[in-house]
Amino acid sequence: MSQDARSPRHIEADIEATRTRLANTIDELAYRAKPGVIAERQKDAAVAKLQDTFMTPNGDVRLDRVAAVVVVVAAIVGLSIYRRVRG
């Protein structure tokens, strides 16, 4: 059956199916654009990135990386205390 020989009923069914797919797509886009959903996705991504950075694939803590962060934080805190005392 060629495209030109489609019945009106078949065309109407195609239009209805297209409408349904479009409505579902719009609903999905509206859901993804909600600020709460976006924030949740970003939080999940940040948690995953932190876990990848500070945990081994076995779930053990990477002490070398944690120690480096502690040293940097301690240096920043020490510097700010030094500035307050001096200034």
Side-chain angles (χ1 to χ4, degrees):
M1 185 182 217
S2 71
Q3 287 284 26
D4 297 331
R6 295 186 332 163
S7 70
R9 185 181 303 162
H10 188 248
I11 294 170
E12 288 173 1
D14 284 348
I15 291 171
E16 186 57 37
T18 302
R19 263 193 205 125
T20 301
R21 284 193 311 272
L22 180 59
N24 290 339
T25 301
I26 290 171
D27 290 344
E28 178 66 22
L29 290 173
Y31 173 77
R32 289 182 185 185
K34 288 183 179 179
V37 173
I38 293 169
E40 186 70 24
R41 270 196 324 258
Q42 294 299 320
K43 180 191 72 114
D44 292 344
V47 168
K49 180 68 175 165
L50 284 172
Q51 285 178 344
D52 286 347
T53 302
F54 294 108
M55 304 290 274
T56 65
N58 297 334
D60 298 328
V61 176
R62 292 181 172 166
L63 293 177
D64 58 329
R65 293 184 181 182
V66 172
V69 170
V70 169
V71 167
V72 169
V73 169
I76 291 170
V77 169
L79 184 61
S80 76
I81 291 171
Y82 176 75
R83 282 187 170 178
R84 283 189 185 172
V85 170
R86 293 275 298 180

